[in-house]
Amino acid sequence: AGYEIATDIKAMPAAQRSKVRGCAFYTRQAAADFNRRGFKGLYIPYGPVDVDENQVGLDTVAVGQIVATSLREAGIDVEWDGSGDKTIFARFSSLES
């Protein structure tokens, strides 16, 4: 996923690329884990994008903060220690009624 995102960002005009703050995505492995967990939560990788060995976007922790805040604002519980070393876990059990 990271390679494809970087390729798409590389193809953007410079003015548009300068607005990129980072990315968040999920992988096939995360999707399989999501199924194993009974659809209760999902690991979400995040961070800046490397394009031709140049970082596009904010640093890893800043991107993580945006992702975690956005998830919380959507009513999703987030497990994340605030460091750039840990993947964010979005716990969907909080959405059950």
Side-chain angles (χ1 to χ4, degrees), residues 23 27 37 41 52 91:
C23 69
T27 62
R37 290 178 182 278
D52 294 334
R91 184 171 300 285

Side-chain angles (χ1 to χ4, degrees), residues 7-8 11 26 30 45 48 54 76 80 85 91-92:
T7 300
D8 289 345
Y26 74 93
N54 293 308
I76 298 169
W80 180 52
D85 298 334
R91 184 171 300 285
F92 299 133

Side-chain angles (χ1 to χ4, degrees), residues 28-92:
R28 286 185 195 134
Q29 295 89 347
D33 185 60
F34 181 58
N35 288 330
R36 278 192 303 276
R37 290 178 182 278
F39 309 102
K40 300 277 187 201
L42 180 68
Y43 284 100
I44 303 174
Y46 59 91
V49 181
D50 290 325
V51 176
D52 294 334
E53 298 183 26
N54 293 308
Q55 180 176 300
V56 176
L58 304 171
D59 66 48
T60 303
V61 171
V63 176
Q65 289 169 340
I66 292 168
V67 172
T69 298
S70 297
L71 290 166
R72 288 181 181 120
E73 288 174 353
I76 298 169
D77 288 334
V78 173
E79 292 178 19
W80 180 52
D81 68 1
S83 77
D85 298 334
K86 301 292 180 186
T87 303
I88 292 171
F89 185 72
R91 184 171 300 285
F92 299 133

Side-chain angles (χ1 to χ4, degrees), residues 1-9 28:
Y3 174 80
E4 290 184 23
I5 292 168
T7 300
D8 289 345
I9 291 173
R28 286 185 195 134

